[in-house]
Amino acid sequence: MSIVKLNNRGVKDATAFGSITGLGNLVFISRSTASSSSSVNITSGINSTYKEYIFFFNNIHPGTDAKSLQFNLSADSGSNYNVTKTTSFFRAQHTEGGASVFEYVAGDDLAQSTASANISNLCGADNDQCVSGYLHLFEPSSTTFVKHFMSVVNSTFTDSDGSANLYMGGYGNTTSAIDAIQFSMSSGNIDSGTIDMYGVL
């Protein structure tokens, strides 16, 4: 076995570098703005162009106190949002008063359910409270595999006021192509906020 010797001339004396084009780049597709909206439905732009999509939540403010940001998937261009899902959900939480918790939240997960999946839980509706973070959706156009997704958000919550870092992951149990997604609160409206959709090259 030969020994590879390193020296400090490799980069310093180089006159050209190879390049990797496009890998990992985010491509902006659309922005959806909520304004007292019962839901935000994204029905275009989710197709086979990208194998991964990321949805960024910016200051999603609920119209009603102690509600959860949720999502559901569609395989028929948004006519129905009822894809069967299995998810897990856990949180790290710290209140302004100093109380903390780190736990699996069984009440916020799904087991082979067509209901909307929680991304956050118990977000407060005070003027300064909101949810921000992101959701990844992997290869929604595959007709071979189930549709994996995962999210990380930070939410200001209603109980005792504080910060909750929330983690959700799971899959849509279908081999049909997913072509639309719906975001809503567990009840009431999304009072304000934006959702930006990006494709990943």
Coordinates of all heavy atoms in Angstrom, one line a residue, residues 22 34 139:
G22 N -24.9 22.6 -9.9 CA -26.3 22.5 -9.5 C -26.6 21.6 -8.3 O -27.7 21.7 -7.7
A34 N -50.8 33.6 3.6 CA -52.1 33.4 4.3 C -52.6 34.7 4.8 O -51.9 35.6 5.3 CB -51.9 32.4 5.4
E139 N -39.2 13.0 -3.1 CA -39.7 12.3 -4.4 C -41.2 12.1 -4.4 O -41.6 10.9 -4.5 CB -38.9 11.0 -4.6 CG -38.9 10.6 -6.0 CD -37.8 9.6 -6.4 OE1 -37.1 9.1 -5.5 OE2 -37.7 9.3 -7.6

